[in-house]
Amino acid sequence: MNGMDELTIAMPKGRILREALELLEEAGYPVEEDCFETTRKLTVPLPEAGLSFFLAKPGDVPTYVEYGVADLGVVGKDVLMEEERDVYELLDLGISRCRIAVAALPDWRPSLHPRVATKYPRIAGRYFLDKGEQVEIIRLSGSVELAPLIGLADRIVDIVSTGRTLRENGLVELETVSDVTSRLIANRASYRLKSGSVDRLCSRLASVVKGEGVRT
Ligand code: PRP
């Protein structure tokens, strides 16, 4: 409760990492990106800031946080919506902005037994249920854009960022399911027991996100 507790933060490998580290640096927590990228090391301590990081598959970040092996985590809203883990969502970091969308070939027509391929079976299932449309959800773990091209599914639910992957595969966006940005999440117990450190980090990040800079 003294505000000096060390915090362990689960960071997502991949495209969110760079922007998340930039944000942390602006917030006064300088983490060398090289620490993560030039080694195969999965843990990076930053003792002078009272932080230690580890790198995880994005989809696993909420799991580590729920089980308390990480106090905090950085993760896309898409993963949060899909994983439905018991964690606190503390802050919208406003980074890695993209959307979850329904896409298909331009000549797509509704069929009798519609099939939707996706990495997000829960999100897609909920979306079509809410629309009152019965579809078969086919779970894939990547390269989802392939599914309509080879006849596995007539539509996909996937992340669209620049739209380049859809374009280059001749697919068109039909509907937006949800806008997505990265979030700071917290373990429920850590949020109470380490409130000083958590509040400090969270409010520094919030100032940077709001464009106010950080008073140190
Ligand atoms: C994501 C997503 C799309 C692509 C969208 O895939 O699933 O395929 O990025 O980005 P764009 O609109 O800027 O083209 P990712 O690179 O994470 O790989 P994956 O398909 O193997 O999951």
Side-chain angles (χ1 to χ4, degrees):
M1 304 286 179
N2 58 10
M4 297 299 285
D5 298 292
E6 174 152 325
L7 295 176
T8 300
I9 308 181
M11 300 291 279
K13 280 186 198 174
R15 54 179 77 194
I16 299 176
L17 183 65
R18 180 186 300 263
E19 283 183 80
L21 293 180
E22 277 169 19
L23 211 57
L24 278 165
E25 190 174 350
E26 282 180 63
Y29 302 95
V31 199
E32 294 281 323
E33 198 182 330
D34 290 358
C35 295
F36 292 98
E37 288 195 340
T38 60
T39 78
R40 307 285 289 177
K41 272 209 325 223
L42 295 173
T43 58
V44 176
L46 192 64
E48 60 278 18
L51 302 178
S52 84
F53 297 89
F54 66 83
L55 276 184
K57 285 270 188 189
D60 293 337
V61 167
T63 311
Y64 291 117
V65 173
E66 182 183 278
Y67 282 89
V69 291
D71 301 301
L72 300 173
V74 172
V75 66
K77 182 70 179 175
D78 53 330
V79 172
L80 273 186
M81 288 166 66
E82 183 65 26
E83 292 296 318
E84 295 179 332
R85 290 283 170 181
D86 187 21
V87 296
Y88 284 130
E89 186 182 321
L90 297 184
L91 184 64
D92 182 346
L93 297 171
I95 56 170
S96 302
R97 200 171 285 278
C98 56
R99 58 196 178 276
I100 303 169
V102 184
L105 286 165
D107 60 359
W108 168 80
R109 295 288 171 273
S111 68
L112 216 49
H113 299 290
R115 295 197 299 204
V116 174
T118 186
K119 284 184 285 193
Y120 302 100
R122 279 206 187 122
I123 295 172
R126 271 200 305 266
Y127 179 73
F128 287 103
L129 189 68
D130 287 350
K131 281 171 55 109
E133 196 185 331
Q134 230 178 5
V135 301
E136 181 184 348
I137 304 286
I138 301 174
R139 188 200 182 120
L140 295 176
S141 42
S143 305
V144 177
E145 291 82 359
L146 194 57
L149 308 183
I150 57 172
L152 176 65
D154 41 22
R155 281 168 293 175
I156 61 171
V157 168
D158 200 16
I159 290 288
V160 179
S161 176
T162 61
R164 186 173 164 198
T165 309
L166 289 185
R167 255 195 324 279
E168 292 194 355
N169 289 289
L171 300 173
V172 292
E173 205 172 326
L174 302 175
E175 296 146 45
T176 300
V177 176
S178 177
D179 289 312
V180 171
T181 47
S182 300
R183 311 296 161 108
L184 181 70
I185 59 172
N187 171 266
R188 289 186 180 273
S190 304
Y191 183 72
R192 278 183 287 112
L193 299 173
K194 299 184 176 182
S195 60
S197 304
V198 172
D199 285 347
R200 185 157 177 267
L201 180 85
C202 195
S203 62
R204 282 171 157 225
L205 282 170
S207 305
V208 173
V209 172
K210 280 189 277 176
E212 291 170 357
V214 178
R215 286 184 301 272
T216 44

